[in-house]
Amino acid sequence: MQLFSRKRSVHAVSALADPLRAKIYEYLRRTTEPASRDAVAQALDLPRNTVSFQLERLAKEGLLTYEFRKLGETSGPGSGRPSKLYSLVTQEIEASVPHREYTLAAHIMAQAIERATREQRPVNELLAEVSRESGQALATSSESLDQMLTKGGYLPETDEAGSIHLTDCPFHQLSAQFRDTVCMMNRELLGAVVETSDAPYRSCPVSPKTGHCCVRLDPTSNK
């Protein structure tokens, strides 16, 4: 499972704020085959150097991929050299401020529904089970607990007693409409993250304030 991601998505979306880059990206989105710098420049009636610079910027931000390939018979300087061909990456790019993890929630819920149907078990039981499995998978990261929570959009803050308060909910819109279900999923998820990572905390359910998480992490007695 992909870990919480934020910074790269924001940079990628920011790159498309430039009208020229957005125009080039949209052209490549509509093409069925990878395109060369010359092809893009000709199609959009733009200088080749300008197109080349913008294509490299889009590739650097992870929005484009490229390959080298010869394009048939050519003549003149550079004859026979492979051309650099650009195409869109297949992975979707998402970004939101503040950070949200609706894709993670959808992934967990879809797995739970499929397994509940296949195994003829209550969906809530499977939702808790899949949430724990997802938390265990997330905890295999080499990142610290604080890094995982920050990257996941929980905005952790530690008080004087050492408890970690999660001051934002990455599933905010879902929890506003389906609080019991989403909070159960989130508590199982974070509980498994803490247990699997061997962090010196225990997951404690709390009644969330508006926008805050339904979990607080208290230090264990042996901390």
Side-chain angles (χ1 to χ4, degrees), residues 48 105 113 147 150 156 163 176 182 203 209 218:
R48 185 182 185 279
I113 293 169
Q147 288 173 325
T150 300
S163 292
V182 175
S203 176
K209 302 176 184 177
D218 288 342

Side-chain angles (χ1 to χ4, degrees), residues 153-194:
Y154 288 97
L155 296 184
E157 293 183 0
T158 304
D159 63 21
E160 294 180 356
S163 292
I164 300 177
H165 299 263
L166 307 178
T167 62
D168 201 2
C169 172
F171 313 113
H172 176 70
Q173 292 294 337
L174 283 174
S175 64
Q177 300 179 62
F178 310 103
R179 173 163 293 182
D180 290 345
T181 298
V182 175
C183 284
M184 184 271 283
M185 176 193 74
N186 185 54
R187 285 166 177 159
E188 296 290 347
L189 176 77
L190 288 178
V193 167
V194 173

Side-chain angles (χ1 to χ4, degrees), residues 131-132 135-136 185-197 201-204 215 217:
S131 298
R132 287 192 296 272
Q136 291 166 355
M185 176 193 74
N186 185 54
R187 285 166 177 159
E188 296 290 347
L189 176 77
L190 288 178
V193 167
V194 173
E195 292 169 8
T196 307
S197 64
Y201 293 93
R202 62 180 180 276
S203 176
C204 301
V215 171
L217 303 180

